[in-house]
Amino acid sequence: QVQLQESGPGLVKPSQTLSLTCTVSGGSITADDYFWSWIRQPPGKGLEWIGYITDSGRTYYRPSLKSRTSISRDTSKNQFTLQLTSVTPEDTAVYYCARYYRRSADFGSWGQGTQVTVSS
């Protein structure tokens, strides 16, 4: 049973960089057909896909966030990381990491989520 756990600061100042890490256990982030995703939910709004890194290390981002987003991975630690630059209060959200299975096109496993607030 794969498990995902987000970690990182809960408070970030405007214009700074938000950085979160997802630690994966019970499954490898290089396993075929699995894409490792970041998703967020702003207060009072729906889920918003941010981007993912594939089993081979390629990255894909939400177009509206692409210029500020970077997702990377450390295969030795079985972790992947989100960096979102130049944050504003509109980036305040619960941030989730999740595993996407390409063959069934679903997010089958999720972390518990972590609240990130952008405020001075």
Side-chain angles (χ1 to χ4, degrees):
Q1 179 88 4
V2 69
Q3 293 185 321
L4 298 89
Q5 178 66 58
E6 306 90 351
S7 60
L11 180 65
V12 182
K13 289 182 171 21
S15 81
Q16 293 188 342
T17 296
L18 180 161
S19 184
L20 296 173
T21 295
C22 184
T23 300
V24 179
S25 59
S28 172
I29 62 172
T30 61
D32 289 347
D33 299 320
Y34 289 101
F35 298 173
W36 303 89
S37 308
W38 287 99
I39 296 163
R40 69 183 183 181
Q41 186 167 29
K45 297 184 179 180
L47 293 170
E48 181 178 73
W49 175 76
I50 299 169
Y52 55 57
I53 186 164
T54 71
D55 48 2
S56 61
R58 290 185 296 178
T59 53
Y60 297 85
Y61 303 123
R62 186 181 191 88
S64 61
L65 297 174
K66 186 176 181 180
S67 65
R68 300 195 290 127
T69 307
S70 177
I71 297 175
S72 59
R73 66 181 185 175
D74 185 334
T75 57
S76 68
K77 295 180 180 179
N78 217 36
Q79 296 174 331
F80 62 105
T81 298
L82 168 69
Q83 290 197 313
L84 185 65
T85 62
S86 303
V87 296
T88 72
E90 286 65 43
D91 294 308
T92 294
V94 177
Y95 284 76
Y96 299 91
C97 57
R99 185 180 73 169
Y100 177 85
Y101 186 44
R102 183 177 66 86
R103 293 186 182 273
S104 58
D106 67 78
F107 293 93
S109 299
W110 292 69
Q112 65 183 20
T114 186
Q115 173 71 46
V116 178
T117 300
V118 179
S119 175
S120 56

